[in-house]
Amino acid sequence: IMKNQMLYRELAKYYDLIYSYKDYKKEAGIIRKIISKYKKSGGNGLLEAGCGTGKHLKYFERAFNCTGIDVNEGMLRIAKKNAKRTFFKKNDMVNFNLNKRFDVILSLFSSIGYVRTYKNLEKTICNFSRHLKSGGVLVIEPWLTKKNFRAGTPHMATFDSKNIKIARLNISRIKNDISVIDMHYLIAEKNKEVKHFIDRHELGLFNINRTLEIMKKEGFEARFSKNGLMKDRGLFIGVKK
């Protein structure tokens, strides 16, 4: 699903610099509390779908037996360095089959948005359900809803160090139920030419109630918490019946 984005392929080495503001340790702590509160299954197998560069898994792998899947080789190469005890596999969250069941499944940092359509969202949540033990916990950090998405507003993220400077700018738009974001990157590295990339990201704008309905249909006791890891995103929490 995320196969075309340069950020996850050629630009993967810059990914953790662009998101250097993100406090993965703090976020992992919040998720751990949710797992402790809701998990009823007895094991400690944890799967992160759309694991990116493995920065969350780094904080789970001491307490859990971790597996990470991602569709991009570039991200997995970096993830293997960040989370050395985790087993990684190239897989798409919509249709992966690992032939095992876990006690915890995580899908964080809005990676679920890349499945784009409700049809794929249903397939993905069905797949999560198949891979979870009874009493296991599913935590999904969604992308924005249509209501929360601010089309037409300019955004900028920067990274500034002695040897590398990065600026990322975009103006977002909505096409039906999909947010279309053309990210413009300027990357200046020491002793190199300045590089300019344009990278398109398309993420589904999924309705909260409809997502909860899908989760319930796939065998979860499901709830949505407005208090998530990032502003306006919240968290879906499901316990497999």
Side-chain angles (χ1 to χ4, degrees):
I1 297 295
M2 291 194 276
K3 286 172 187 152
N4 304 321
Q5 286 75 26
M6 296 169 84
L7 179 61
Y8 309 125
R9 293 182 296 130
E10 301 93 317
L11 302 184
K13 61 181 175 177
Y14 303 114
Y15 180 91
D16 286 328
L17 300 181
I18 292 161
Y19 293 111
S20 57
Y21 62 83
K22 207 165 165 55
D23 190 340
Y24 288 95
K25 189 177 182 180
K26 184 183 172 188
E27 290 186 0
I30 294 166
I31 298 291
R32 270 218 297 274
K33 282 180 185 161
I34 291 168
I35 294 167
S36 299
K37 184 176 176 182
Y38 290 98
K39 184 170 86 70
K40 297 182 181 80
S41 65
N44 71 338
L46 181 148
L47 170 70
E48 186 179 1
C51 64
T53 59
K55 290 297 260 310
H56 282 117
L57 285 166
K58 179 183 171 183
Y59 296 105
F60 289 113
E61 58 181 11
R62 285 206 174 133
F64 295 92
N65 183 7
C66 293
T67 301
I69 63 167
D70 202 281
V71 81
N72 289 282
E73 298 273 9
M75 301 298 264
L76 290 172
R77 268 197 301 275
I78 297 162
K80 284 169 187 171
K81 292 173 191 167
N82 283 331
K84 292 186 171 70
R85 300 181 198 177
T86 297
F87 170 73
F88 290 101
K89 196 165 173 22
K90 186 184 174 189
N91 256 315
D92 189 324
M93 68 172 88
V94 176
N95 55 24
F96 71 95
N97 183 12
L98 298 176
N99 290 313
K100 65 184 286 193
R101 293 196 296 159
F102 298 86
D103 300 273
V104 180
I105 296 181
L106 307 175
S107 175
L108 304 174
F109 207 4
S110 302
S111 57
I112 196 82
Y114 285 97
V115 306
R116 293 179 71 237
T117 65
Y118 280 109
K119 189 181 174 186
N120 280 340
L121 183 64
E122 284 200 37
K123 281 185 188 172
T124 304
I125 291 172
C126 173
N127 214 0
F128 289 162
S129 181
R130 278 196 314 115
H131 283 82
L132 256 187
K133 292 178 191 170
S134 181
V137 181
L138 170 65
V139 181
I140 298 173
E141 181 180 19
W143 177 231
L144 300 166
T145 60
K146 215 168 187 176
K147 196 171 129 189
N148 286 342
F149 190 76
R150 304 272 175 262
T153 52
H155 297 276
M156 179 169 74
T158 58
F159 176 80
D160 187 3
S161 72
K162 194 174 155 190
N163 293 326
I164 184 164
K165 320 271 183 198
I166 302 171
R168 185 191 74 188
L169 288 99
N170 70 278
I171 293 172
S172 312
R173 57 195 175 87
I174 292 178
K175 188 180 171 187
N176 301 320
D177 285 329
I178 290 174
S179 57
V180 181
I181 306 166
D182 287 325
M183 303 279 198
H184 290 250
Y185 293 93
L186 278 173
I187 300 172
E189 284 184 84
K190 193 177 179 183
N191 299 326
K192 291 185 183 177
E193 292 286 321
V194 174
K195 290 184 281 217
H196 175 227
F197 299 96
I198 303 172
D199 198 21
R200 175 163 290 187
H201 295 251
E202 295 185 356
L203 292 91
L205 297 161
F206 299 128
N207 176 279
I208 291 167
N209 289 334
R210 194 160 167 191
T211 304
L212 286 170
E213 277 169 29
I214 293 167
M215 289 174 76
K216 285 168 186 168
K217 189 176 108 199
E218 297 302 340
F220 289 99
E221 287 171 21
R223 64 188 295 271
F224 178 75
S225 170
K226 280 185 179 174
N227 298 326
L229 308 176
M230 298 177 76
K231 189 176 180 286
D232 286 339
R233 300 198 195 182
L235 288 171
F236 289 100
I237 301 161
V239 179
K240 176 81 182 289
K241 288 177 187 172

